[in-house]
Amino acid sequence: MSKLSLINRNEKRKMLVIKFSKKRLALQAIIDDPKASEETRYAARLKIQALPRNSNKTRVRNRCALTDRPRGVYSKFGLGRHKLREFAMRGEIPGIVKASW
């Protein structure tokens, strides 16, 4: 189990991503718009830089839903590699079978 402070920090980041996602998307659309003037795009760039760093979705860490392990997480299942293998060997994940040839 991971330290509680790391888990809480990650949860805080998830909440910030949700809170600022609409604003960030709107500003990014202005920046990507080739028809917008340079002054408008520059102002949008400054505004997006003023947003909290942790509101960017790349700052959120994928963690195993059961063990909170930060590395080796399969996002399709939300499980770490150890737990994924354990469940697959027991046949609890449909469509996953051990390879044999």
Side-chain angles (χ1 to χ4, degrees):
M1 192 71 174
S2 297
K3 287 174 55 176
L4 192 59
S5 61
L6 296 177
I7 297 167
N8 290 338
R9 186 186 312 158
N10 202 39
E11 291 301 316
K12 184 178 176 183
R13 285 177 179 159
K14 287 180 185 177
M15 296 306 292
L16 280 172
V17 167
I18 293 168
K19 182 178 178 182
F20 288 100
S21 64
K22 288 183 182 178
K23 191 173 198 176
R24 190 174 284 278
L25 282 174
L27 290 171
Q28 194 61 45
I30 293 170
I31 292 170
D32 293 339
D33 184 20
K35 296 178 183 176
S37 66
E38 287 297 319
E39 295 83 24
T40 309
R41 292 167 76 185
Y42 183 71
R45 233 178 260 122
L46 290 177
K47 286 181 184 176
I48 209 167
Q49 287 175 359
L51 293 176
R53 280 188 179 183
N54 286 334
S55 68
N56 195 349
K57 65 181 179 180
T58 59
R59 305 268 298 196
V60 175
R61 185 79 166 145
N62 289 337
R63 290 185 171 271
C64 176
L66 300 175
T67 62
D68 290 318
R69 179 179 165 81
R71 294 171 182 241
V73 177
Y74 288 81
S75 58
K76 183 176 182 180
F77 305 105
L79 297 173
R81 57 190 172 92
H82 300 296
K83 289 296 176 180
L84 180 69
R85 185 174 192 274
E86 183 181 309
F87 286 143
M89 290 296 150
R90 282 191 268 159
E92 295 179 5
I93 303 176
I96 301 292
V97 292
K98 186 175 179 182
S100 61
W101 59 90

